[in-house]
Amino acid sequence: MILPCHKNLCLKIVPYLITRLTKVANALTISDLPVRFTMSVKSRLPEFLEKCERERDRVVDFWLQNSHDTEHGGFYVCLDRDGKVYDDTKYCWLQGRQVWMYCRLYNEVEKYDRQDVLQAAIAGGEFLMKHVRDPATMKCSFAVTRDGRTVKVQRQPFSEVFYFLGLSELYRATGEAKYREEALKMMDQLVHWMTVDDSGLGRPKWPGAPATDNMAVPMMLMCMIDQLEMMDPALTNKYAGLAERCVEQLLLHIQRDGTVILEQVSPDGQELPGCLGRLQNPGHAIECSWFLLQYAVRHNRPDLKKTAINNFLLQPFESGWDDKHGGLFYFLDVDGYSPTQLEWNMKLWWPHNEALIAFLVAYKETKDEQMLEKFAKVFDYSFSHFVDPDHGEWYGYLSQQGEVTQRFKGGPFKGCFHVPRCLHMCTQILRELVTT
């Protein structure tokens, strides 16, 4: 028998418990449940495909609607949450990235085989050629004013890399020889800077600075060689030896008996002292994994395929994933010290983009369901934290707890590249998996 006082208490508590349990149930995804209670994650492939394609189109539409400078050419990149321009400075590596992205979509996706997409890409390419490259030095500005006057030049080759990538893909889209010639000229210059003499970049040599091998350099070279071969298959053999040397350089970053990937090592593959030598960037290693994996598949290298997955993908993912809050840490110190980068524990958009690509490529090539399960883990985190359902595009910067810290969708380091590239590649791979 329930006493009257207890009955009243139950009438209050039971609805509350039902409400709370319903919220918890709604928040759960398949990846939260024990494996023994779930269907195979392969059953989610149609869901992944539908959501990636839909989100790709929302993201691309955000840039098509908000970023075009129809007066001066090129693209606004500093866009607030709703697409409003909050600064008209044009960051040039992002100009090249957006040209590349528009052209890649135009070249590969029927719904983007449209004149508005192509003309926007051409306007961006012409802006690059007219305002960004210094004809005397081949250096590209890092940032310019809205009408193309130089604001800043970096001593790194990133603007030049994406100048090449953008114009080479623009040649694929248009067939216009001037874009091919400009791309090839920049490619040759970049190879010289990265492999022969980097003095043209303007970086001084200080007596106390150790010689380093930065993982970004061979990664960028591999990316450029792959792009060059797509632009003109007749050039496939031009840099074949260089591509293999890039692979060898990247393998030097496997340290401590294969247990870690370090961002920088000495040129002969030794660990560097101090914070610089202990630095890990999980997202960068994961991005490198799918570069290496694709190379291994093209060149029938099962040994490299295994290394790409085990050392460059799984190990950095497991050590970089935040078990408490979810998401990938930005930086880590291999010995567990606090990284000196103040943003080390933030969750940034692009490492998650790279992880989505990498695990899907790995699953496609191995059919190992573990890869698809980890893809689902990153997918669920990314789509529940980075996506803006109201205005499109993804937020770029989250706290460790997963809260949005910067509301803008574009800025000096985030533009129309990582998110749409990821969603485009995932859509292509998922469609192949679903239909075969």
Side-chain angles (χ1 to χ4, degrees), residues 273-289:
C275 298
L276 179 68
R278 298 194 305 268
L279 183 66
Q280 294 177 286
N281 183 333
H284 216 191
I286 290 168
E287 182 179 16
C288 185
S289 75

Side-chain angles (χ1 to χ4, degrees), residues 303-330:
D303 57 330
L304 182 61
K305 181 178 174 179
K306 182 178 179 181
T307 298
I309 292 173
N310 292 337
N311 297 94
F312 284 87
L313 177 55
L314 291 175
Q315 190 281 323
F317 180 78
E318 296 299 342
S319 62
W321 188 262
D322 183 347
D323 290 328
K324 182 176 181 181
H325 299 289
L328 286 163
F329 289 116
Y330 196 24

Side-chain angles (χ1 to χ4, degrees), residues 200-219:
L201 296 173
R203 290 200 296 257
K205 306 290 186 184
W206 302 114
T212 63
D213 185 283
N214 189 320
M215 195 161 67
V217 172
M219 282 181 65

Side-chain angles (χ1 to χ4, degrees), residues 32 98 135 158 175 206 281 291 320 346 352 406 408 421 429:
D32 294 314
Q98 191 157 345
F158 301 120
W206 302 114
N281 183 333
F291 286 14
M346 291 180 69
H352 298 80
Q406 278 90 358
F408 59 75
R421 179 180 72 164
I429 298 170

